[in-house]
Amino acid sequence: MMIFCIIIAVVGIFIIVHFRLYLFLSPKDRLIILMYHQIGNQPDDLTVTPENLEKQFSYLRRKNYTSKFFKEIGRPSERNIIITFDDGYLDNFEYLPGLLEKYHLKATLFISTKFIQEGYKQYAMMSFEDLRSLHKDYFEIGLHSHAHENFRNITGNCIKQDLRTNMDILEKENIPYTRVLAYPYGKYPKEKDKQHQLFSLLTDLGIQFAVRIGNKINSFPSDPPYTLCRIDIKGGDSMIKFKLKLIFGKLKLF
């Protein structure tokens, strides 16, 4: 009996620590960042339907989540959440303004400027004019690199030049942005020395935060601020799964 109780206690501690459930005791320090990509009628890992997205937004509103931009996360509040969309797909422009306004939410769009300039595969992308026209009460623009290359596969100098290009183009196009970065493919170097080099580079560029995937709830403030986790929301997620992700992040069990 004693061994069984010890096992249960150890499992319970692991679950609490691994999924950061202790943050429920201090909700003002709990930061949830959701990751989306496309919106469309053919759901897949990167595409959520307009109907499911509206259900999710409605739930966030009913449960009194505080939707924030990255530039606002220093302000403590209950149930902090940041909603992000990557790449700059045209369907974001078509669906998000009405939904965000309807449910009084905000979203950060991480923009790869090369995709806006040249297009991306067969997908329709937003234009710079579309980006300029987004209402500043509901949209924040963030960085997603220029060429969208995996940071694990290119040198520090290439990363630095790419991010400068990303920022320079947005500035030239008169598009205000927040100095927050979403790593292309959610990846950054695994080696500690390369990580240190990258984080120093980001600091030199004035980038305040960077997000990966990670699929965990964040404690905030985070040190360093360049490893914030996002929870990926997939097109096949049921509402039950969506609600569980808001609590645990991503479980391998669902």
Side-chain angles (χ1 to χ4, degrees):
M1 186 66 179
M2 178 67 71
I3 294 176
F4 178 76
C5 291
I6 292 173
I7 292 173
I8 293 298
V10 170
V11 171
I13 292 171
F14 171 79
I15 291 173
I16 290 170
V17 173
H18 182 74
F19 295 108
R20 303 181 180 181
L21 296 182
Y22 54 84
L23 290 173
F24 275 108
L25 299 175
S26 183
K28 291 183 178 181
D29 298 330
R30 195 170 191 265
L31 177 63
I32 302 167
I33 307 176
L34 303 182
M35 180 182 71
Y36 296 88
H37 286 78
Q38 294 176 267
I39 308 167
N41 294 317
Q42 301 296 324
D44 56 31
D45 282 354
L46 296 181
T47 306
V48 62
T49 66
E51 295 78 15
N52 283 346
L53 185 63
E54 181 157 13
K55 289 177 183 177
Q56 293 166 8
F57 282 7
S58 176
Y59 178 80
L60 295 176
R61 181 61 180 169
R62 292 198 312 273
K63 295 301 180 179
N64 297 314
Y65 280 88
T66 303
S67 177
K68 290 187 173 184
F69 294 141
F70 280 90
K71 59 190 175 186
E72 299 173 323
I73 59 178
R75 305 175 190 173
S77 60
E78 302 290 334
R79 291 177 174 255
N80 298 298
I81 194 163
I82 297 179
I83 300 168
T84 70
F85 284 78
D86 285 7
D87 300 333
Y89 298 101
L90 182 61
D91 52 57
N92 292 187
F93 182 76
E94 294 169 341
Y95 289 106
L96 281 178
L99 288 175
L100 294 173
E101 183 175 3
K102 180 177 181 179
Y103 295 105
H104 305 284
L105 297 171
K106 303 174 180 180
T108 299
L109 304 184
F110 287 111
I111 299 301
S112 290
T113 39
K114 186 176 181 179
F115 290 175
I116 306 301
Q117 289 178 327
E118 302 178 13
Y120 176 56
K121 297 182 178 179
Q122 75 276 21
Y123 304 115
M125 309 301 291
M126 281 189 276
S127 67
F128 289 119
E129 181 58 35
D130 293 334
L131 292 170
R132 280 192 292 270
S133 71
L134 294 172
H135 200 297
K136 302 305 182 290
D137 288 347
Y138 301 106
F139 289 95
E140 173 185 54
I141 303 301
L143 306 170
H144 198 33
S145 81
H146 174 64
H148 202 275
E149 296 185 69
N150 190 329
F151 280 12
R152 290 183 182 173
N153 300 333
I154 58 178
T155 66
N157 285 336
C158 288
I159 292 172
K160 187 173 185 178
Q161 184 57 51
D162 180 271
L163 291 175
R164 280 180 169 167
T165 300
N166 196 191
M167 293 187 285
D168 288 346
I169 291 173
L170 291 174
E171 291 168 5
K172 181 180 178 182
E173 293 291 339
N174 195 29
I175 297 171
Y177 64 92
T178 298
R179 296 203 177 209
V180 55
L181 167 69
Y183 297 114
Y185 307 102
K187 298 181 183 297
Y188 58 92
K190 293 182 178 180
E191 301 85 354
K192 291 297 183 182
D193 59 331
K194 291 184 178 180
Q195 284 183 18
H196 179 74
Q197 179 188 26
L198 174 62
F199 297 164
S200 295
L201 182 158
L202 298 181
T203 300
D204 291 343
L205 290 173
I207 292 175
Q208 298 169 297
F209 307 105
V211 297
R212 55 190 181 117
I213 301 179
N215 282 306
K216 291 184 178 181
I217 308 299
N218 298 286
S219 57
F220 191 83
S222 172
D223 185 27
Y226 300 134
T227 58
L228 290 172
C229 294
R230 291 193 290 174
I231 300 167
D232 63 327
I233 306 300
K234 298 180 181 297
D237 289 349
S238 65
M239 276 304 298
I240 291 176
K241 185 179 289 189
F242 178 76
K243 294 173 185 178
L244 288 172
K245 284 185 174 182
L246 293 176
I247 297 171
F248 295 103
K250 183 178 180 181
L251 282 169
K252 292 183 179 180
L253 299 177
F254 60 82

